[in-house]
């Protein structure tokens, strides 16, 4: 049976990225991204907002880009996969944590603040660059091309109004 492990997160960084380097020199970046869910309370009718925090890890060149361009408050779009790890806390208790391993990242918002939110003209989604994790070989990521709005479809020529005198009188309804 086929399976899919894919996560898409759009949110804001709650703190500056944490950057570490492995002995091989490869970078690792960790960020915490907040997402919000709004719902209406059934009993009171009051709007509620629930915030979720997501731990996201980046590796290699993608981690270097995160460390260079993102900061607390930056808006970001991340695609990746879930990975659960087991660890032992300081009291010797085994625990589990589920993280997102990033495979693609898109910086959102305008360039002036690098993620402090977009202007009214871009809906908050303009400006940033898109990056993907290198798969087999190390290479600088290329920015994802910005999709241009599709050209409007040509309008069909207006059809003449139907001539009702040409219709049969034996209409069954």
């Amino acid at each position: 049976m086929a399976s899919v492990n894919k996560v898409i997160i759009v949110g804001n960084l709650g703190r500056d990225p944490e950057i570490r380097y492995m002995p091989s020199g490869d970078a690792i970046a960790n960020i915490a991204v907040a997402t919000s869910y709004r719902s209406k309370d059934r009993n009171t009718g009051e709007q509620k907002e629930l915030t979720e925090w997501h731990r996201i890890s980046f590796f290699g060149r993608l981690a270097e880009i995160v460390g260079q361009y993102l900061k607390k408050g930056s808006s970001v779009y991340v695609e990746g996969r879930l990975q659960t790890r087991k660890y032992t806390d300081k009291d010797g208790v085994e625990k589990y944590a589920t993280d997102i391993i990033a495979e693609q990242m898109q910086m959102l918002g305008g360039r002036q603040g690098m993620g402090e939110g977009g202007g009214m003209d871009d809906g908050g989604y303009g400006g940033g660059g898109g990056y993907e994790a290198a798969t087999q070989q190390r290479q600088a990521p290329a920015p994802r091309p910005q999709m241009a709005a599709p050209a409007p479809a040509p309008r069909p020529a207006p059809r003449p109004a139907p001539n009702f005198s040409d219709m049969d009188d034996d209409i069954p309804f």
Side-chain angles (χ1 to χ4, degrees), residues 13-42:
L13 273 69
R15 56 181 157 76
D16 288 339
E18 296 174 5
I19 308 298
R20 297 187 321 266
Y21 292 90
M22 297 179 9
S24 65
D26 288 339
I28 301 172
N30 292 306
I31 62 173
V33 174
T35 58
S36 296
Y37 173 76
R38 292 185 185 155
S39 65
K40 190 181 236 184
D41 187 286
R42 290 183 188 177

Side-chain angles (χ1 to χ4, degrees), residues 21-153:
Y21 292 90
M22 297 179 9
S24 65
D26 288 339
I28 301 172
N30 292 306
I31 62 173
V33 174
T35 58
S36 296
Y37 173 76
R38 292 185 185 155
S39 65
K40 190 181 236 184
D41 187 286
R42 290 183 188 177
N43 300 327
T44 65
E46 181 182 334
Q47 284 281 49
K48 288 183 168 183
E49 185 171 0
L50 182 88
T51 301
E52 286 286 332
W53 288 94
H54 311 276
R55 288 186 308 261
I56 304 175
S57 298
F58 298 84
F59 297 93
R61 180 72 179 128
L62 198 54
E64 293 171 7
I65 292 166
V66 165
Q68 185 175 2
Y69 293 107
L70 296 182
K71 62 182 180 180
K72 180 179 178 177
S74 297
S75 295
V76 68
Y77 167 95
V78 177
E79 285 186 28
R81 61 185 168 83
L82 291 177
Q83 181 173 315
T84 302
R85 59 187 167 87
K86 183 168 109 175
Y87 67 97
T88 306
D89 70 4
K90 62 182 177 183
D91 298 326
V93 178
E94 286 187 351
K95 294 189 175 185
Y96 293 88
T98 301
D99 298 323
I100 297 168
I101 306 301
E103 295 168 352
Q104 295 183 22
M105 183 269 301
Q106 174 85 34
M107 294 176 281
L108 305 177
R111 292 214 186 267
Q112 65 275 7
M114 284 314 296
E116 292 179 7
M120 296 295 282
D121 58 339
D122 66 6
Y125 293 96
Y131 301 93
E132 292 186 33
T135 50
Q136 294 289 4
Q137 52 188 321
R138 203 182 267 211
Q139 51 184 285
R144 292 174 67 181
Q146 296 294 326
M147 298 293 286

